[in-house]
Amino acid sequence: MAIGAYVEGPAADGAGYNGRVTSFVILSCIVAGSGGILFGYDLGISGGVTSMEPFLRKFFPDVYHQMKGDKKVSNYCRFDSELLTVFTSSLYIAGLVATLFASSVTRRFGRRASILIGGTVFIAGSVFGGAAVNVYMLLLNRILLGIGLGFTNQSIPLYLSEMAPPQYRGAINNGFELCISIGILMANLINYGVEKIVQGWGWRISLSLAAVPAAFLTVGAIFLPETPSFIIQRDGNIDEAKILLQRLRGTTGIQKELDDLVSASNVSRTTRHPFRNILKRKYRPQLVIALLIPFFNQVTGINVINFYAPVMFRTIGLKESASLMSAVVTRICATVANIIAMVVVDRFGRRKLFLVGGVQMILSQITVGAVLAAKFKDHGGMEKEYAYLVLVIMCVFVAGFAWSWGPLTYLVPTEICPLEIRSAGQSIVIAVIFLMTFVIGQTFLAMLCHIKFGTFFLFGGWVCVMTLFVYFFLPETKKLPMEQMEQVWRRHWFWKRIVGEEDDGREAGVIALAST
């Protein structure tokens, strides 16, 4: 058996589960997955407005004067401002705290409840952003958006994974990342359009329009069904869960899947403290992956592109309008790659996408660093041909991320965690994403100022590390039912030594399944 792999048997084709992707599943997942647009819109909008001169002139005048050509300031340092980075990254600290609270809400009151809370708070934050007259209102806007995203990002990937048939779980869950890309693309297009408003208040439109996708999600969530897993976990209403499962799968032959859900729920009910339980030895693989996958996701440098792309393209010499359009181009590439990922993830598996995307990102970051080292100095401009070469390489980079680490960061941790720790595991994932996004947001402009092109070599080194981690330590999970995921750890060359032979009430079922 190859290192990092596991032997696929009949279980990998759905373990005898029946059903298909029904219109009911598609509609429910479209509404829930649209929550990704909220996250994407915020990522895209913040970088755009912080490159707009009227916005900088009103709220960050020091940055505006640096940008307008202080000859003593290095090209790499023109946007280096503590206040500007606090504006960009304060959202993520609020999101980190909120997602830890969201875990309890999601577990006790359901996935839909967390989606409703998140959407409502996000709408309130959008109002403060559009009406801001000082930096304090901007910060309140960011904090409220962070709380909203803490709830939606914690609950939506869970919802999608639990609603999807096992054989299509990858494609449906990847829809969340596709919505993030669509949100960023929408934000980039809006920024490009409103930047042309000569009166200088276009940034208010950018910040206010965040309420539109949030309203769609909030209203839609009112009509969403809960997942069969939560219905059984909540009150043991097997009849209600059975009817819903039959409607979701489009068949009456769902007894096998229902039995597995009941079994998982029985184990879950004995778990009173999920965050304490996830520290147990038998959950060590899930804990390590829930911590490292989102950590690695962020140290790729992707959010440098997401919310600093216009700033970065202005830094290397493109004008305001051209820099905003460059951000649109990179996002179109990412969106196309997201769609490709949805098509191939359940055919080729998670590991292959991780590895191919990793190699693609390594080469991209090293190449960008080399071009900047050779052609972009502290003072003076960069030749336009090389600026556009950087844009092309960035498109290659975001495409590699968008069909690998982007969608799989939300998919893999949700599908490997059993029901009793699933909500806690997803909270850890989102908390790490928010924490690392905050760290990157706080430090990137300073890193760019002090280590210049070396910033991209640093990101490239991290991508090397994470690609090796996937090769050696991440097993394949495609098409395997979430309730039968324990077998991948017992078959893996490394993790089987960690989890041992602990019996958690499902061992007999795993042995029987492995012997079929």
Side-chain angles (χ1 to χ4, degrees):
M1 179 168 61
I3 290 178
Y6 80 98
V7 178
E8 292 191 41
D13 293 324
Y17 288 4
N18 297 318
R20 55 188 173 83
V21 178
T22 62
S23 57
F24 186 51
V25 167
I26 293 173
L27 185 60
S28 298
C29 291
I30 286 175
V31 173
S34 67
I37 295 177
L38 275 63
F39 191 30
Y41 188 87
D42 177 77
L43 287 172
I45 219 69
S46 57
V49 297
T50 52
S51 72
M52 294 180 187
E53 294 182 7
F55 180 83
L56 291 174
R57 193 164 52 240
K58 182 174 180 62
F59 296 107
F60 306 99
D62 292 342
V63 177
Y64 174 75
H65 293 305
Q66 284 182 184
M67 182 192 68
K68 292 303 288 183
D70 185 341
K71 301 299 183 183
K72 297 179 181 179
V73 177
S74 166
N75 282 325
Y76 287 98
C77 301
R78 292 197 181 278
F79 286 87
D80 184 23
S81 162
E82 288 186 10
L83 187 58
L84 185 61
T85 54
V86 167
F87 163 74
T88 303
S89 54
S90 56
L91 176 150
Y92 302 103
I93 287 296
L96 188 158
V97 175
T99 195
L100 298 177
F101 284 101
S103 174
S104 297
V105 174
T106 302
R107 180 177 167 83
R108 293 183 60 187
F109 302 105
R111 287 68 171 132
R112 190 178 66 169
S114 285
I115 295 173
L116 281 167
I117 292 171
T120 303
V121 177
F122 198 92
I123 293 171
S126 303
V127 173
F128 281 97
V133 295
N134 53 48
V135 171
Y136 300 107
M137 288 185 71
L138 284 180
L139 291 178
L140 181 58
N141 154 259
R142 301 294 287 172
I143 290 170
L144 289 175
L145 296 184
I147 293 172
L149 291 174
F151 276 87
T152 56
N153 285 14
Q154 193 275 339
S155 54
I156 289 173
L158 287 182
Y159 186 91
L160 297 176
S161 291
E162 292 179 351
M163 293 289 276
Q167 63 270 35
Y168 301 110
R169 185 174 62 243
I172 290 175
N173 192 285
N174 282 9
F176 183 68
E177 177 68 17
L178 175 62
C179 286
I180 292 177
S181 261
I182 292 172
I184 297 174
L185 179 59
M186 289 168 52
N188 290 338
L189 288 170
I190 290 169
N191 282 335
Y192 180 72
V194 302
E195 176 267 334
K196 300 179 183 304
I197 297 176
V198 294
Q199 291 87 348
W201 46 264
W203 60 269
R204 292 192 184 275
I205 297 176
S206 294
L207 296 180
S208 299
L209 286 180
V212 175
F216 175 81
L217 175 68
T218 305
V219 174
I222 297 173
F223 303 99
L224 285 178
E226 264 300 351
T227 68
S229 295
F230 176 72
I231 291 172
I232 297 172
Q233 181 188 35
R234 178 187 60 198
D235 52 21
N237 193 333
I238 297 175
D239 290 336
E240 181 184 350
K242 182 176 181 179
I243 293 170
L244 176 58
L245 199 57
Q246 288 174 342
R247 190 178 178 192
L248 290 171
R249 302 294 178 255
T251 178
T252 57
I254 46 82
Q255 194 59 45
K256 170 62 176 168
E257 184 173 1
L258 183 64
D259 290 343
D260 285 344
L261 292 176
V262 172
S263 176
S265 179
N266 289 337
V267 174
S268 177
R269 286 182 184 177
T270 65
T271 304
R272 301 189 62 181
H273 304 287
F275 281 104
R276 191 181 304 169
N277 264 41
I278 203 171
L279 299 176
K280 291 183 178 179
R281 184 183 180 89
K282 66 180 179 181
Y283 299 127
R284 195 63 47 79
Q286 290 91 336
L287 177 62
V288 169
I289 289 172
L291 287 168
L292 288 185
I293 291 292
F295 172 81
F296 287 143
N297 172 289
Q298 290 301 300
V299 295
T300 61
I302 186 59
N303 275 338
V304 170
I305 307 302
N306 285 340
F307 53 72
Y308 285 133
V311 170
M312 190 173 68
F313 289 129
R314 289 212 72 176
T315 296
I316 63 175
L318 297 181
K319 300 299 182 182
E320 183 175 1
S321 182
S323 68
L324 291 171
M325 179 50 68
S326 298
V328 172
V329 172
T330 59
R331 188 43 47 185
I332 290 173
C333 293
T335 304
V336 172
N338 286 145
I339 295 171
I340 293 173
M342 292 179 68
V343 174
V344 302
V345 66
D346 290 313
R347 179 180 304 175
F348 297 123
R350 287 60 163 146
R351 278 172 51 83
K352 288 180 181 177
L353 294 186
F354 268 131
L355 296 174
V356 171
V359 172
Q360 190 173 336
M361 289 189 291
I362 291 169
L363 297 176
S364 300
Q365 292 283 31
I366 291 174
T367 306
V368 168
V371 171
L372 293 181
K375 298 296 179 179
F376 190 57
K377 307 305 180 183
D378 284 325
H379 302 284
M382 186 185 217
E383 295 175 32
K384 188 167 292 187
E385 292 79 8
Y386 287 101
Y388 284 117
L389 175 61
V390 171
L391 171 62
V392 171
I393 300 169
M394 285 292 97
C395 288
V396 175
F397 172 80
V398 298
F401 180 86
W403 60 45
S404 61
W405 283 86
L408 296 179
T409 295
Y410 295 100
L411 169 61
V412 172
T414 60
E415 64 183 3
I416 64 169
C417 288
L419 184 61
E420 62 269 21
I421 61 165
R422 193 172 296 157
S423 183
Q426 182 63 10
S427 284
I428 291 172
V429 170
I430 301 304
V432 173
I433 287 177
F434 280 139
L435 175 62
M436 291 308 301
T437 306
F438 173 79
V439 171
I440 297 296
Q442 282 290 104
T443 60
F444 171 69
L445 293 178
M447 281 196 301
L448 189 63
C449 179
H450 291 91
I451 63 177
K452 304 177 173 61
F453 56 83
T455 304
F456 297 93
F457 292 134
L458 177 63
F459 287 137
W462 275 114
V463 181
C464 288
V465 172
M466 58 202 249
T467 303
L468 290 172
F469 171 81
V470 168
Y471 183 78
F472 287 109
F473 299 109
L474 186 69
E476 185 54 74
T477 56
K478 68 175 182 179
K479 298 184 180 179
L480 189 65
M482 293 165 70
E483 285 70 32
Q484 299 166 2
M485 200 64 73
E486 295 92 345
Q487 61 182 294
V488 302
W489 313 117
R490 294 185 173 89
R491 295 179 179 188
H492 190 273
W493 72 276
F494 177 80
W495 294 118
K496 65 183 180 181
R497 307 173 193 176
I498 304 296
V499 298
E501 298 298 327
E502 283 193 67
D503 181 6
D504 65 355
R506 289 170 290 197
E507 180 72 20
V510 171
I511 294 174
L513 179 65
S515 65
T516 59

